[in-house]
């Protein structure tokens, strides 16, 4: 068996598939690893409000959320960097004036702009199709999202990041120029196609959060094993001693990982835990 490790695991496409199905074998692997003395942390783009109860019921040792802006170990909040309220207000106004529908991601919930539920349908459908799943509704895609809010209720001081539907790639490029104090990115469908833009806290990545968590735990990042499936997980791979991409993951993530396991819904996590010696086969 491996010496005690810190497991950093992405959620979407890694712990669960893109229909939010949690394989029983993954839960079994996590419980066996924890029983052997290893720690298991979610490391995800999701904010705390997006974590459904069936994932929390696994019994996580903590989580990194918002792609690194929130770190929690046990009941202790280790780090939480929010978008400043004045910048958040300017961001909401800029997106509104540009006619871009968006949603704000907070540990207290997901808050959609007035037109998001209808205007986001094409991008949400393309995202689902790119992940090989059937589209049902925008509400079905975004766990915990609150709709039909008036614009004034979107001026908040608890926002981790914001995502918005791109009308064109130029919207992303313009967001980079408009908000130099934030980190601008894109995400979306098959092959990491840019369907959505996002704006988050500058200089924050999953790698930054892994190092912060290790400082708190008094651990060495060489004793961390990262599990993911997408480009956003690559910095986490690079920050950890070992890394694993799911067989259902993207090509760039596979190339960056030290091991590629089977698909998420083909006992991928369980098989990888066996490979790394976290559990017995």
């Amino acid at each position: 068996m491996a010496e005690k490790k810190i497991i950093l695991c992405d959620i979407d496409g890694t712990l669960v598939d893109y229909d939010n199905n949690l394989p029983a074998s993954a839960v079994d692997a996590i419980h066996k690893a924890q029983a052997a003395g290893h720690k298991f942390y979610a490391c995800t783009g999701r904010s705390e409000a997006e974590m459904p109860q069936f994932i929390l019921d696994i019994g996580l040792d903590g989580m990194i959320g918002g792609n690194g802006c929130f770190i929690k170990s046990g009941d202790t909040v280790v780090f939480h960097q929010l978008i400043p309220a004045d910048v958040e207000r300017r961001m909401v106004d800029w997106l509104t004036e540009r006619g871009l529908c968006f949603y704000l991601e907070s540990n207290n919930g997901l808050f959609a702009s007035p037109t998001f539920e209808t205007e986001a349908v094409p991008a949400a459908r393309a995202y689902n199709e790119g992940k090989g799943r059937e589209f049902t509704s925008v509400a079905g895609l975004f766990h915990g999202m609150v709709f039909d809010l008036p614009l004034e209720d979107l001026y908040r001081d608890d926002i981790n990041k914001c995502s918005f539907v791109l009308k064109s790639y130029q919207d992303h490029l313009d967001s980079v120029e408009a908000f130099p104090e934030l980190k601008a990115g894109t995400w979306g469908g098959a092959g990491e196609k840019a369907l959505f833009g996002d704006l988050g806290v500058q200089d924050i990545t999953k790698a930054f959060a892994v190092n912060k968590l290790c400082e708190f735990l008094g651990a060495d990042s060489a004793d961390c094993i990262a599990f993911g499936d997408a480009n956003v997980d690559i910095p986490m791979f690079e920050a950890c001693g070992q890394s694993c991409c799911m067989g259902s993951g993207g090509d760039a993530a596979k190339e960056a990982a030290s091991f590629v396991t089977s698909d998420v819904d083909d006992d991928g996590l369980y098989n990888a835990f066996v490979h790394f010696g976290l559990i017995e086969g």
Side-chain angles (χ1 to χ4, degrees):
M1 296 292 286
E3 294 183 3
K4 303 303 180 280
K5 299 293 184 180
I6 300 169
I7 301 164
L8 287 308
C9 187
D10 175 53
I11 299 294
D12 298 286
T14 304
L15 178 61
V16 301
D17 67 18
Y18 282 98
D19 284 318
N20 231 17
N21 296 312
L22 173 62
S25 63
V27 178
D28 186 32
I30 293 165
H31 288 164
K32 286 179 177 176
Q34 289 173 320
H38 308 296
K39 300 292 185 182
F40 183 88
Y41 289 82
C43 191
T44 175
R46 297 191 189 201
S47 294
E48 200 170 32
E50 299 172 80
M51 297 290 281
Q53 193 60 45
F54 72 85
I55 291 180
L56 298 177
D57 285 344
I58 295 171
L60 311 181
D61 291 292
M63 74 170 288
I64 291 169
N67 283 330
C69 72
F70 175 72
I71 309 169
K72 188 175 184 178
S73 184
D75 294 326
T76 301
V77 175
V78 177
F79 177 83
H80 196 185
Q81 181 65 58
L82 299 165
I83 295 177
D86 61 322
V87 178
E88 191 273 353
R89 185 181 186 97
R90 184 162 58 86
M91 179 179 68
V92 168
D93 288 344
W94 184 85
L95 291 165
T96 302
E97 291 166 4
R98 200 176 179 96
L100 299 174
C101 64
F102 61 91
Y103 68 95
L104 306 171
E105 302 180 44
S106 159
N107 284 358
N108 298 310
L110 299 185
F111 305 101
S113 64
T115 60
F116 187 82
E117 189 169 15
T118 54
E119 291 188 9
V121 167
R125 178 178 286 113
Y127 176 80
N128 274 22
E129 291 174 353
K131 302 300 182 182
R133 64 180 181 177
E134 183 179 355
F135 174 74
T136 55
S137 67
V138 170
L141 178 59
F142 297 102
H143 174 81
M145 182 169 282
V146 180
F147 298 99
D148 301 321
L149 291 171
L151 185 62
E152 56 268 23
D153 286 354
L154 297 174
Y155 297 131
R156 303 181 62 92
D157 61 3
D158 62 346
I159 299 305
N160 296 327
K161 60 191 181 85
C162 170
S163 290
F164 56 95
V165 175
L166 295 169
K167 291 183 178 178
S168 73
Y169 194 74
Q170 189 63 44
D171 293 323
H172 161 63
L173 297 178
D174 290 347
S175 76
V176 174
E177 183 175 345
F179 298 96
E181 67 272 72
L182 299 179
K183 182 177 75 173
T186 64
W187 58 277
E192 304 286 342
K193 180 180 179 181
L195 298 171
F196 294 83
D198 62 25
L199 291 164
V201 179
Q202 188 67 275
D203 300 323
I204 297 292
T205 65
K206 289 185 176 184
F208 167 89
V210 168
N211 291 325
K212 276 280 187 184
L213 177 62
C214 285
E215 288 177 17
F216 174 77
L217 295 174
D220 191 325
S221 61
D223 293 323
C224 294
I225 305 178
F227 295 82
D229 75 312
N231 289 1
V232 71
D233 297 313
I234 293 174
M236 176 175 65
F237 291 174
E238 295 170 346
C240 294
Q242 295 173 292
S243 57
C244 174
C245 183
M246 310 307 288
S248 42
D251 291 340
K254 288 178 180 176
E255 185 175 344
S258 53
F259 176 69
V260 177
T261 187
S262 49
D263 289 2
V264 59
D265 55 1
D266 188 24
D267 300 329
L269 208 61
Y270 190 99
N271 293 334
F273 276 31
V274 171
H275 169 82
F276 288 112
L278 298 167
I279 61 176
E280 295 181 353

